[in-house]
Amino acid sequence: MHVSSIKIDPYMNVDAGTMAPTEHGEVFVLDDGGEVDLDLGNYERYLNISLTRENNITTGKIYLHVIERERRGDYLGKTVQVVPHITDAIRDWIERVARIPVDDTNEVPDVCIIELGGTVGDIESGPFIEAMRQLRRRAGKDNFLQIHVSLVPLVGEEQEQKTKLTQHAIGVVRSAGLSPDLIACRCPVELEQASKDKLALFCQVDVENVISVHNVSSAYEVPMLLHRQGLIVLLRKILCLKSVSPSPSLIERGKQMWDEWTGLLKSQGGLSETVSIALVGKYTRSPDAYHSVIRSLEHAAMRCHKKLNLIMVDSSHLETPTSQERPADFHKAWHKVCTANGILVPGGFGQRGTEGMIAAARWARVNKIPFLGICLGMQIAVIEYARSVCGMPGASSVEFDERCADPVVIFMPEIDKHTLGGTMRLGLRPTLFQPGSDEWSKVRRLYGEETILERHRHRYEVNPEYVERVAAQGLTFVGKDDSAKRMEILELKDHPWYVGVQFHPEYLSKVLLPSKPYLGFVAASAGKLSEVLRDGASGGRGGVGKEKEMMTTTTTTKEEVDGGVGVAMNGLMGMSLGTATDTTGPGMAREVNGVVVPVQATTSDQGE
């Protein structure tokens, strides 16, 4: 089936672009440059689709849209109110975006998953819940499925499963006019039959419609967990999916993907060898700030048949002041870096912790430890090389020091210095490998193409005036933009793996098709780079070649033999038709008479 997705965030921000990663988590970037919630990244990875900025709805975006219409006079002098004008705008937005093709077939989606974030009872969620109520009525029978996701905690010494929180949350949802069809219970251990019976009795659903989403050894095993509980049969029954007839090629594609997925999981079962990666960053106390980075490392480690041992290192702990103020933190951080198989410096903003990143990049370069720099990490590698090798001790970025002696990293001239939201260099852009790099560049060999497409999000770039001086000393810029003025990829020739990229390759990484820079980095760290290079890789968009037609991502779908209907679920709370996600509270929809009718799911505050 062709599946699309919409994420609703009730906050007032127009988008996620200006939100702090320590508070909100990673900002995910789409092809069109949309800065959105990280859950959109989950949907893209799991469904193997490309979404747009309009697939992320926020309160700020809806209110801005309605106010702009009011200013133009579109409402013809009427009093503009939350109901019906805001709720109509939400409903119309969903129905319009749900029809937009999102995969390589360019066909209108059969299903649209809608995830309503926030918590039941929140003031800001009210208009969206009302819009979903109206949408359910408009969709009609058999065209709307609501899944309620809630936590079932263990209480007391006996670890008794308590269902009262879920019962109360569903009562609140019902009072708003929505009635869940399925209840997904997030719990540490498998939901007991007595708990299922109680929830079915007091929440007015059949017992088989209460799904246990308990902890398993890996989030990637959850699709099989749900399949064993008969979720496919439930979805076919509730949505009358026998009327949807996927093409034979689509069914075959799903079967092949499922075989590859289950085969990959089986190959991971007996692994004992690990690969240790030190992630040296600014936001290590908030792992969600590096959500896609971590997922990409997992994808690459699975491809290399290694268990990932991810070591988070606060870059400020590597700096000299920490050695004097908190020596224990200093030595502990350096022990982590020195014993890691590979060192990764991800993106970030601001000066804090950058000297620690520079120190880590130098350690990796001098000691021949595999290194990968992403966005800011690439700029860090240039600064370190300019200082240590090129005789420029005052080299820095104007982001850190506007008056530095050698500004090897500068603010891009076309970027607005006063407005923050949506003003960076964003979205999918080409990178061209330079002549001669095909003779030795490992990263080019992995991509297998002369021109690649990757997603960007940055305000600063390597200063073109210093490129020749740095390159003359051995730091080669093997990839540049289509104007040949903007540096995109750097690589050291005589090093196991020392690569920096200005773009964010993690935004296009898939479980069955890992990002090429991450794959090369993890393979080098695991001592398997020669093997990976020998196997070869298809190139193209972010290194995604023909495999994209047959593969999905970080969890997967299960194709039903007689109907081609795929169902799976994430490692946390999300559930969907035709895919798997690690988000909370998605809903569903299907196409009826040419109209895609979405479905909403709510999430209780206890289930967050």
Side-chain angles (χ1 to χ4, degrees), residues 37 42 44 51 78 123 130 161 192 216 252 296 327 379 382 395 421 447 488 544 564 606:
D37 186 89
N42 294 325
E44 281 205 339
L51 302 174
K78 292 183 178 179
I123 293 175
E130 171 60 20
Q161 292 181 347
E192 299 171 356
V216 289
E252 181 60 30
S296 299
Q379 299 167 10
V382 173
Y447 272 110
E488 294 283 1
V544 178
Q606 292 87 357

mmCIF file with all atom_site columns, all heavy atoms in Angstrom, residues 37 42 44 51 78 123 130 161 192 216 252 296 327 379 382 395 421 447 488 544 564 606:
data_model
loop_
_atom_site.group_PDB
_atom_site.id
_atom_site.type_symbol
_atom_site.label_atom_id
_atom_site.label_alt_id
_atom_site.label_comp_id
_atom_site.label_asym_id
_atom_site.label_entity_id
_atom_site.label_seq_id
_atom_site.pdbx_PDB_ins_code
_atom_site.Cartn_x
_atom_site.Cartn_y
_atom_site.Cartn_z
_atom_site.occupancy
_atom_site.B_iso_or_equiv
_atom_site.pdbx_formal_charge
_atom_site.auth_seq_id
_atom_site.auth_comp_id
_atom_site.auth_asym_id
_atom_site.auth_atom_id
_atom_site.pdbx_PDB_model_num
ATOM 1   N N   . ASP A 1 37  ? 9.537   18.135  13.473 1.00 0.00 ? 37  ASP A N   1
ATOM 2   C CA  . ASP A 1 37  ? 9.707   17.258  14.616 1.00 0.00 ? 37  ASP A CA  1
ATOM 3   C C   . ASP A 1 37  ? 10.433  15.982  14.197 1.00 0.00 ? 37  ASP A C   1
ATOM 4   O O   . ASP A 1 37  ? 10.271  15.497  13.067 1.00 0.00 ? 37  ASP A O   1
ATOM 5   C CB  . ASP A 1 37  ? 8.326   16.919  15.179 1.00 0.00 ? 37  ASP A CB  1
ATOM 6   C CG  . ASP A 1 37  ? 8.388   16.119  16.459 1.00 0.00 ? 37  ASP A CG  1
ATOM 7   O OD1 . ASP A 1 37  ? 8.447   16.734  17.532 1.00 0.00 ? 37  ASP A OD1 1
ATOM 8   O OD2 . ASP A 1 37  ? 8.375   14.881  16.381 1.00 0.00 ? 37  ASP A OD2 1
ATOM 9   N N   . ASN A 1 42  ? 11.266  9.514   11.737 1.00 0.00 ? 42  ASN A N   1
ATOM 10  C CA  . ASN A 1 42  ? 10.891  8.111   11.960 1.00 0.00 ? 42  ASN A CA  1
ATOM 11  C C   . ASN A 1 42  ? 9.975   7.615   10.853 1.00 0.00 ? 42  ASN A C   1
ATOM 12  O O   . ASN A 1 42  ? 10.150  6.517   10.319 1.00 0.00 ? 42  ASN A O   1
ATOM 13  C CB  . ASN A 1 42  ? 10.186  7.971   13.306 1.00 0.00 ? 42  ASN A CB  1
ATOM 14  C CG  . ASN A 1 42  ? 11.105  8.271   14.469 1.00 0.00 ? 42  ASN A CG  1
ATOM 15  O OD1 . ASN A 1 42  ? 12.290  7.970   14.428 1.00 0.00 ? 42  ASN A OD1 1
ATOM 16  N ND2 . ASN A 1 42  ? 10.563  8.874   15.519 1.00 0.00 ? 42  ASN A ND2 1
ATOM 17  N N   . GLU A 1 44  ? 9.656   8.771   7.794  1.00 0.00 ? 44  GLU A N   1
ATOM 18  C CA  . GLU A 1 44  ? 10.392  8.666   6.529  1.00 0.00 ? 44  GLU A CA  1
ATOM 19  C C   . GLU A 1 44  ? 11.234  7.397   6.494  1.00 0.00 ? 44  GLU A C   1
ATOM 20  O O   . GLU A 1 44  ? 11.289  6.695   5.483  1.00 0.00 ? 44  GLU A O   1
ATOM 21  C CB  . GLU A 1 44  ? 11.279  9.893   6.320  1.00 0.00 ? 44  GLU A CB  1
ATOM 22  C CG  . GLU A 1 44  ? 10.555  11.105  5.820  1.00 0.00 ? 44  GLU A CG  1
ATOM 23  C CD  . GLU A 1 44  ? 11.459  12.053  5.067  1.00 0.00 ? 44  GLU A CD  1
ATOM 24  O OE1 . GLU A 1 44  ? 12.691  11.989  5.248  1.00 0.00 ? 44  GLU A OE1 1
ATOM 25  O OE2 . GLU A 1 44  ? 10.935  12.869  4.293  1.00 0.00 ? 44  GLU A OE2 1
ATOM 26  N N   . LEU A 1 51  ? 8.669   13.230  2.808  1.00 0.00 ? 51  LEU A N   1
ATOM 27  C CA  . LEU A 1 51  ? 7.599   14.130  3.205  1.00 0.00 ? 51  LEU A CA  1
ATOM 28  C C   . LEU A 1 51  ? 7.971   15.583  2.931  1.00 0.00 ? 51  LEU A C   1
ATOM 29  O O   . LEU A 1 51  ? 9.105   15.889  2.553  1.00 0.00 ? 51  LEU A O   1
ATOM 30  C CB  . LEU A 1 51  ? 7.292   13.925  4.692  1.00 0.00 ? 51  LEU A CB  1
ATOM 31  C CG  . LEU A 1 51  ? 6.877   12.499  5.090  1.00 0.00 ? 51  LEU A CG  1
ATOM 32  C CD1 . LEU A 1 51  ? 6.752   12.382  6.604  1.00 0.00 ? 51  LEU A CD1 1
ATOM 33  C CD2 . LEU A 1 51  ? 5.563   12.114  4.417  1.00 0.00 ? 51  LEU A CD2 1
ATOM 34  N N   . LYS A 1 78  ? -16.812 37.833  8.479  1.00 0.00 ? 78  LYS A N   1
ATOM 35  C CA  . LYS A 1 78  ? -17.340 37.011  9.555  1.00 0.00 ? 78  LYS A CA  1
ATOM 36  C C   . LYS A 1 78  ? -16.447 37.079  10.792 1.00 0.00 ? 78  LYS A C   1
ATOM 37  O O   . LYS A 1 78  ? -15.268 37.396  10.704 1.00 0.00 ? 78  LYS A O   1
ATOM 38  C CB  . LYS A 1 78  ? -17.458 35.556  9.097  1.00 0.00 ? 78  LYS A CB  1
ATOM 39  C CG  . LYS A 1 78  ? -18.518 35.333  8.031  1.00 0.00 ? 78  LYS A CG  1
ATOM 40  C CD  . LYS A 1 78  ? -18.627 33.851  7.693  1.00 0.00 ? 78  LYS A CD  1
ATOM 41  C CE  . LYS A 1 78  ? -19.717 33.614  6.651  1.00 0.00 ? 78  LYS A CE  1
ATOM 42  N NZ  . LYS A 1 78  ? -19.813 32.173  6.302  1.00 0.00 ? 78  LYS A NZ  1
ATOM 43  N N   . ILE A 1 123 ? -4.960  22.131  26.982 1.00 0.00 ? 123 ILE A N   1
ATOM 44  C CA  . ILE A 1 123 ? -5.748  23.188  26.345 1.00 0.00 ? 123 ILE A CA  1
ATOM 45  C C   . ILE A 1 123 ? -5.402  23.306  24.864 1.00 0.00 ? 123 ILE A C   1
ATOM 46  O O   . ILE A 1 123 ? -6.284  23.431  24.007 1.00 0.00 ? 123 ILE A O   1
ATOM 47  C CB  . ILE A 1 123 ? -5.510  24.537  27.069 1.00 0.00 ? 123 ILE A CB  1
ATOM 48  C CG1 . ILE A 1 123 ? -6.075  24.483  28.489 1.00 0.00 ? 123 ILE A CG1 1
ATOM 49  C CG2 . ILE A 1 123 ? -6.130  25.685  26.276 1.00 0.00 ? 123 ILE A CG2 1
ATOM 50  C CD1 . ILE A 1 123 ? -5.784  25.719  29.317 1.00 0.00 ? 123 ILE A CD1 1
ATOM 51  N N   . GLU A 1 130 ? -11.120 18.246  18.461 1.00 0.00 ? 130 GLU A N   1
ATOM 52  C CA  . GLU A 1 130 ? -12.424 18.552  17.869 1.00 0.00 ? 130 GLU A CA  1
ATOM 53  C C   . GLU A 1 130 ? -12.390 18.348  16.354 1.00 0.00 ? 130 GLU A C   1
ATOM 54  O O   . GLU A 1 130 ? -13.344 17.812  15.762 1.00 0.00 ? 130 GLU A O   1
ATOM 55  C CB  . GLU A 1 130 ? -12.829 19.984  18.205 1.00 0.00 ? 130 GLU A CB  1
ATOM 56  C CG  . GLU A 1 130 ? -14.055 20.505  17.469 1.00 0.00 ? 130 GLU A CG  1
ATOM 57  C CD  . GLU A 1 130 ? -15.318 19.694  17.734 1.00 0.00 ? 130 GLU A CD  1
ATOM 58  O OE1 . GLU A 1 130 ? -15.377 18.961  18.751 1.00 0.00 ? 130 GLU A OE1 1
ATOM 59  O OE2 . GLU A 1 130 ? -16.262 19.793  16.929 1.00 0.00 ? 130 GLU A OE2 1
ATOM 60  N N   . GLN A 1 161 ? 0.261   -4.782  37.636 1.00 0.00 ? 161 GLN A N   1
ATOM 61  C CA  . GLN A 1 161 ? -0.102  -3.935  36.497 1.00 0.00 ? 161 GLN A CA  1
ATOM 62  C C   . GLN A 1 161 ? -1.361  -3.134  36.834 1.00 0.00 ? 161 GLN A C   1
ATOM 63  O O   . GLN A 1 161 ? -2.382  -3.703  37.226 1.00 0.00 ? 161 GLN A O   1
ATOM 64  C CB  . GLN A 1 161 ? -0.351  -4.792  35.256 1.00 0.00 ? 161 GLN A CB  1
ATOM 65  C CG  . GLN A 1 161 ? 0.904   -5.459  34.729 1.00 0.00 ? 161 GLN A CG  1
ATOM 66  C CD  . GLN A 1 161 ? 0.653   -6.286  33.482 1.00 0.00 ? 161 GLN A CD  1
ATOM 67  O OE1 . GLN A 1 161 ? -0.497  -6.559  33.125 1.00 0.00 ? 161 GLN A OE1 1
ATOM 68  N NE2 . GLN A 1 161 ? 1.714   -6.693  32.815 1.00 0.00 ? 161 GLN A NE2 1
ATOM 69  N N   . GLU A 1 192 ? -0.843  -8.824  31.164 1.00 0.00 ? 192 GLU A N   1
ATOM 70  C CA  . GLU A 1 192 ? -1.504  -10.029 31.644 1.00 0.00 ? 192 GLU A CA  1
ATOM 71  C C   . GLU A 1 192 ? -2.927  -10.114 31.087 1.00 0.00 ? 192 GLU A C   1
ATOM 72  O O   . GLU A 1 192 ? -3.548  -9.097  30.765 1.00 0.00 ? 192 GLU A O   1
ATOM 73  C CB  . GLU A 1 192 ? -1.552  -10.027 33.176 1.00 0.00 ? 192 GLU A CB  1
ATOM 74  C CG  . GLU A 1 192 ? -0.167  -10.015 33.821 1.00 0.00 ? 192 GLU A CG  1
ATOM 75  C CD  . GLU A 1 192 ? -0.238  -9.787  35.322 1.00 0.00 ? 192 GLU A CD  1
ATOM 76  O OE1 . GLU A 1 192 ? -1.368  -9.570  35.826 1.00 0.00 ? 192 GLU A OE1 1
ATOM 77  O OE2 . GLU A 1 192 ? 0.814   -9.812  35.986 1.00 0.00 ? 192 GLU A OE2 1
ATOM 78  N N   . VAL A 1 216 ? 10.954  -5.449  24.582 1.00 0.00 ? 216 VAL A N   1
ATOM 79  C CA  . VAL A 1 216 ? 11.629  -6.582  23.968 1.00 0.00 ? 216 VAL A CA  1
ATOM 80  C C   . VAL A 1 216 ? 13.103  -6.240  23.854 1.00 0.00 ? 216 VAL A C   1
ATOM 81  O O   . VAL A 1 216 ? 13.517  -5.105  24.134 1.00 0.00 ? 216 VAL A O   1
ATOM 82  C CB  . VAL A 1 216 ? 11.039  -6.907  22.577 1.00 0.00 ? 216 VAL A CB  1
ATOM 83  C CG1 . VAL A 1 216 ? 9.651   -7.494  22.707 1.00 0.00 ? 216 VAL A CG1 1
ATOM 84  C CG2 . VAL A 1 216 ? 10.993  -5.661  21.700 1.00 0.00 ? 216 VAL A CG2 1
ATOM 85  N N   . GLU A 1 252 ? 5.039   -8.067  -3.933 1.00 0.00 ? 252 GLU A N   1
ATOM 86  C CA  . GLU A 1 252 ? 6.328   -8.736  -4.020 1.00 0.00 ? 252 GLU A CA  1
ATOM 87  C C   . GLU A 1 252 ? 7.427   -7.908  -3.365 1.00 0.00 ? 252 GLU A C   1
ATOM 88  O O   . GLU A 1 252 ? 8.317   -8.435  -2.700 1.00 0.00 ? 252 GLU A O   1
ATOM 89  C CB  . GLU A 1 252 ? 6.670   -8.988  -5.492 1.00 0.00 ? 252 GLU A CB  1
ATOM 90  C CG  . GLU A 1 252 ? 7.989   -9.711  -5.702 1.00 0.00 ? 252 GLU A CG  1
ATOM 91  C CD  . GLU A 1 252 ? 8.017   -11.080 -5.034 1.00 0.00 ? 252 GLU A CD  1
ATOM 92  O OE1 . GLU A 1 252 ? 6.939   -11.712 -4.922 1.00 0.00 ? 252 GLU A OE1 1
ATOM 93  O OE2 . GLU A 1 252 ? 9.108   -11.507 -4.610 1.00 0.00 ? 252 GLU A OE2 1
ATOM 94  N N   . SER A 1 296 ? 21.440  6.119   12.715 1.00 0.00 ? 296 SER A N   1
ATOM 95  C CA  . SER A 1 296 ? 22.346  5.841   11.599 1.00 0.00 ? 296 SER A CA  1
ATOM 96  C C   . SER A 1 296 ? 23.515  4.963   12.037 1.00 0.00 ? 296 SER A C   1
ATOM 97  O O   . SER A 1 296 ? 23.957  4.082   11.290 1.00 0.00 ? 296 SER A O   1
ATOM 98  C CB  . SER A 1 296 ? 22.865  7.157   11.012 1.00 0.00 ? 296 SER A CB  1
ATOM 99  O OG  . SER A 1 296 ? 21.805  7.938   10.508 1.00 0.00 ? 296 SER A OG  1
ATOM 100 N N   . PRO A 1 327 ? 38.591  17.442  37.773 1.00 0.00 ? 327 PRO A N   1
ATOM 101 C CA  . PRO A 1 327 ? 39.554  16.522  37.152 1.00 0.00 ? 327 PRO A CA  1
ATOM 102 C C   . PRO A 1 327 ? 38.999  15.129  36.910 1.00 0.00 ? 327 PRO A C   1
ATOM 103 O O   . PRO A 1 327 ? 39.390  14.468  35.941 1.00 0.00 ? 327 PRO A O   1
ATOM 104 C CB  . PRO A 1 327 ? 40.720  16.501  38.154 1.00 0.00 ? 327 PRO A CB  1
ATOM 105 C CG  . PRO A 1 327 ? 40.156  17.030  39.436 1.00 0.00 ? 327 PRO A CG  1
ATOM 106 C CD  . PRO A 1 327 ? 39.096  17.987  39.051 1.00 0.00 ? 327 PRO A CD  1
ATOM 107 N N   . GLN A 1 379 ? 33.552  21.368  10.250 1.00 0.00 ? 379 GLN A N   1
ATOM 108 C CA  . GLN A 1 379 ? 34.217  22.643  10.486 1.00 0.00 ? 379 GLN A CA  1
ATOM 109 C C   . GLN A 1 379 ? 35.259  22.533  11.587 1.00 0.00 ? 379 GLN A C   1
ATOM 110 O O   . GLN A 1 379 ? 36.332  23.144  11.513 1.00 0.00 ? 379 GLN A O   1
ATOM 111 C CB  . GLN A 1 379 ? 33.159  23.694  10.830 1.00 0.00 ? 379 GLN A CB  1
ATOM 112 C CG  . GLN A 1 379 ? 32.141  23.925  9.722  1.00 0.00 ? 379 GLN A CG  1
ATOM 113 C CD  . GLN A 1 379 ? 30.925  24.714  10.174 1.00 0.00 ? 379 GLN A CD  1
ATOM 114 O OE1 . GLN A 1 379 ? 30.903  25.268  11.280 1.00 0.00 ? 379 GLN A OE1 1
ATOM 115 N NE2 . GLN A 1 379 ? 29.893  24.764  9.333  1.00 0.00 ? 379 GLN A NE2 1
ATOM 116 N N   . VAL A 1 382 ? 38.423  21.131  10.153 1.00 0.00 ? 382 VAL A N   1
ATOM 117 C CA  . VAL A 1 382 ? 39.186  22.143  9.400  1.00 0.00 ? 382 VAL A CA  1
ATOM 118 C C   . VAL A 1 382 ? 39.944  23.060  10.353 1.00 0.00 ? 382 VAL A C   1
ATOM 119 O O   . VAL A 1 382 ? 41.121  23.376  10.133 1.00 0.00 ? 382 VAL A O   1
ATOM 120 C CB  . VAL A 1 382 ? 38.243  22.958  8.491  1.00 0.00 ? 382 VAL A CB  1
ATOM 121 C CG1 . VAL A 1 382 ? 38.990  24.111  7.836  1.00 0.00 ? 382 VAL A CG1 1
ATOM 122 C CG2 . VAL A 1 382 ? 37.608  22.060  7.439  1.00 0.00 ? 382 VAL A CG2 1
ATOM 123 N N   . ALA A 1 395 ? 43.486  30.074  14.102 1.00 0.00 ? 395 ALA A N   1
ATOM 124 C CA  . ALA A 1 395 ? 42.366  29.664  13.259 1.00 0.00 ? 395 ALA A CA  1
ATOM 125 C C   . ALA A 1 395 ? 41.139  29.335  14.111 1.00 0.00 ? 395 ALA A C   1
ATOM 126 O O   . ALA A 1 395 ? 41.252  28.717  15.169 1.00 0.00 ? 395 ALA A O   1
ATOM 127 C CB  . ALA A 1 395 ? 42.753  28.463  12.415 1.00 0.00 ? 395 ALA A CB  1
ATOM 128 N N   . GLY A 1 421 ? 14.425  31.812  12.276 1.00 0.00 ? 421 GLY A N   1
ATOM 129 C CA  . GLY A 1 421 ? 13.545  30.763  11.776 1.00 0.00 ? 421 GLY A CA  1
ATOM 130 C C   . GLY A 1 421 ? 13.583  30.594  10.274 1.00 0.00 ? 421 GLY A C   1
ATOM 131 O O   . GLY A 1 421 ? 13.277  31.524  9.528  1.00 0.00 ? 421 GLY A O   1
ATOM 132 N N   . TYR A 1 447 ? 29.820  5.785   -2.058 1.00 0.00 ? 447 TYR A N   1
ATOM 133 C CA  . TYR A 1 447 ? 28.665  6.375   -2.727 1.00 0.00 ? 447 TYR A CA  1
ATOM 134 C C   . TYR A 1 447 ? 28.492  5.804   -4.134 1.00 0.00 ? 447 TYR A C   1
ATOM 135 O O   . TYR A 1 447 ? 27.366  5.593   -4.595 1.00 0.00 ? 447 TYR A O   1
ATOM 136 C CB  . TYR A 1 447 ? 28.808  7.894   -2.807 1.00 0.00 ? 447 TYR A CB  1
ATOM 137 C CG  . TYR A 1 447 ? 28.274  8.638   -1.606 1.00 0.00 ? 447 TYR A CG  1
ATOM 138 C CD1 . TYR A 1 447 ? 29.129  9.273   -0.710 1.00 0.00 ? 447 TYR A CD1 1
ATOM 139 C CD2 . TYR A 1 447 ? 26.905  8.722   -1.374 1.00 0.00 ? 447 TYR A CD2 1
ATOM 140 C CE1 . TYR A 1 447 ? 28.640  9.966   0.389  1.00 0.00 ? 447 TYR A CE1 1
ATOM 141 C CE2 . TYR A 1 447 ? 26.404  9.429   -0.292 1.00 0.00 ? 447 TYR A CE2 1
ATOM 142 C CZ  . TYR A 1 447 ? 27.271  10.044  0.586  1.00 0.00 ? 447 TYR A CZ  1
ATOM 143 O OH  . TYR A 1 447 ? 26.783  10.732  1.671  1.00 0.00 ? 447 TYR A OH  1
ATOM 144 N N   . GLU A 1 488 ? 31.891  20.614  0.742  1.00 0.00 ? 488 GLU A N   1
ATOM 145 C CA  . GLU A 1 488 ? 30.878  19.674  1.218  1.00 0.00 ? 488 GLU A CA  1
ATOM 146 C C   . GLU A 1 488 ? 31.460  18.440  1.911  1.00 0.00 ? 488 GLU A C   1
ATOM 147 O O   . GLU A 1 488 ? 30.904  17.947  2.878  1.00 0.00 ? 488 GLU A O   1
ATOM 148 C CB  . GLU A 1 488 ? 29.999  19.221  0.047  1.00 0.00 ? 488 GLU A CB  1
ATOM 149 C CG  . GLU A 1 488 ? 29.149  20.320  -0.572 1.00 0.00 ? 488 GLU A CG  1
ATOM 150 C CD  . GLU A 1 488 ? 27.928  20.670  0.267  1.00 0.00 ? 488 GLU A CD  1
ATOM 151 O OE1 . GLU A 1 488 ? 27.749  20.070  1.345  1.00 0.00 ? 488 GLU A OE1 1
ATOM 152 O OE2 . GLU A 1 488 ? 27.151  21.547  -0.150 1.00 0.00 ? 488 GLU A OE2 1
ATOM 153 N N   . VAL A 1 544 ? 21.347  6.364   -1.977 1.00 0.00 ? 544 VAL A N   1
ATOM 154 C CA  . VAL A 1 544 ? 20.221  5.446   -2.120 1.00 0.00 ? 544 VAL A CA  1
ATOM 155 C C   . VAL A 1 544 ? 19.991  5.182   -3.600 1.00 0.00 ? 544 VAL A C   1
ATOM 156 O O   . VAL A 1 544 ? 19.598  6.054   -4.346 1.00 0.00 ? 544 VAL A O   1
ATOM 157 C CB  . VAL A 1 544 ? 18.941  6.036   -1.486 1.00 0.00 ? 544 VAL A CB  1
ATOM 158 C CG1 . VAL A 1 544 ? 17.792  5.083   -1.684 1.00 0.00 ? 544 VAL A CG1 1
ATOM 159 C CG2 . VAL A 1 544 ? 19.167  6.313   -0.021 1.00 0.00 ? 544 VAL A CG2 1
ATOM 160 N N   . GLY A 1 564 ? -1.580  -8.113  0.830  1.00 0.00 ? 564 GLY A N   1
ATOM 161 C CA  . GLY A 1 564 ? -0.541  -7.115  0.700  1.00 0.00 ? 564 GLY A CA  1
ATOM 162 C C   . GLY A 1 564 ? -0.649  -6.017  1.718  1.00 0.00 ? 564 GLY A C   1
ATOM 163 O O   . GLY A 1 564 ? -0.187  -4.912  1.507  1.00 0.00 ? 564 GLY A O   1
ATOM 164 N N   . GLN A 1 606 ? -0.400  9.956   30.760 1.00 0.00 ? 606 GLN A N   1
ATOM 165 C CA  . GLN A 1 606 ? 0.280   8.854   31.429 1.00 0.00 ? 606 GLN A CA  1
ATOM 166 C C   . GLN A 1 606 ? 1.108   8.047   30.445 1.00 0.00 ? 606 GLN A C   1
ATOM 167 O O   . GLN A 1 606 ? 2.032   7.358   30.835 1.00 0.00 ? 606 GLN A O   1
ATOM 168 C CB  . GLN A 1 606 ? -0.753  7.916   32.092 1.00 0.00 ? 606 GLN A CB  1
ATOM 169 C CG  . GLN A 1 606 ? -1.484  8.566   33.266 1.00 0.00 ? 606 GLN A CG  1
ATOM 170 C CD  . GLN A 1 606 ? -2.712  9.329   32.810 1.00 0.00 ? 606 GLN A CD  1
ATOM 171 O OE1 . GLN A 1 606 ? -2.982  9.407   31.627 1.00 0.00 ? 606 GLN A OE1 1
ATOM 172 N NE2 . GLN A 1 606 ? -3.427  9.912   33.742 1.00 0.00 ? 606 GLN A NE2 1
#
